[in-house]
Amino acid sequence: MPLKDFLNDELAIMNKVSRPDNSGGYIWTWQEGVHFPGKAIRKSSDAILIAEQEGMKEIFTITTLHIIHLERGDYVKRIQDGAIFKVTSDPMDATFIPDNSGVKSTMVYAERTTL
């Protein structure tokens, strides 16, 4: 399967925005930002499964096109099911998939979370 067919999830960057609350303060909410193709896959090594049983959050790998720059602390929403992920790896820790895969892409680690 070509990599471009693998990146079939619709993902969106989540942006934190504020609006006045009419009392001199602000109300903070989350809005979907840029939509982009990608794939969020749950990691399932033995060590991760044991850590999850001990209370650690689910760990995912998010793969997307190389032109999408995800950074540690970014929130990403998978549109199909509304799942929210927080990127936990630095951009320099990203693993780059070889150019001969047909599509330049990058991977980052993320944990499933809520907003």
Side-chain angles (χ1 to χ4, degrees):
M1 170 192 319
L3 185 58
K4 65 181 179 179
D5 294 341
F6 173 75
L7 301 178
N8 59 1
D9 285 346
E10 182 179 3
L11 305 175
I13 296 284
M14 297 300 292
N15 297 314
K16 194 170 186 179
V17 296
S18 66
R19 62 179 172 82
D21 67 358
N22 298 324
S23 299
Y26 292 92
I27 297 173
W28 293 92
T29 59
W30 291 93
Q31 291 182 347
E32 290 178 17
V34 174
H35 286 229
F36 59 93
K39 191 70 162 180
I41 298 176
R42 185 171 179 247
K43 296 189 63 65
S44 60
S45 72
D46 290 341
I48 289 174
L49 293 174
I50 291 168
E52 286 176 358
Q53 290 174 354
E54 295 177 3
M56 187 172 146
K57 294 185 178 184
E58 290 178 292
I59 303 297
F60 286 75
T61 300
I62 297 177
T63 306
T64 188
L65 301 173
H66 78 287
I67 59 173
I68 305 297
H69 299 282
L70 298 176
E71 297 185 7
R72 181 187 293 264
D74 284 347
Y75 286 85
V76 176
K77 179 179 183 180
R78 185 168 52 201
I79 302 302
Q80 289 88 330
D81 62 2
I84 303 292
F85 306 97
K86 181 179 180 182
V87 176
T88 57
S89 63
D90 288 324
M92 65 185 141
D93 295 336
T95 304
F96 294 94
I97 296 174
D99 291 342
N100 63 2
S101 66
V103 176
K104 285 187 176 181
S105 59
T106 188
M107 294 168 48
V108 295
Y109 295 111
E111 63 184 18
R112 190 164 184 168
T113 189
T114 58
L115 295 177

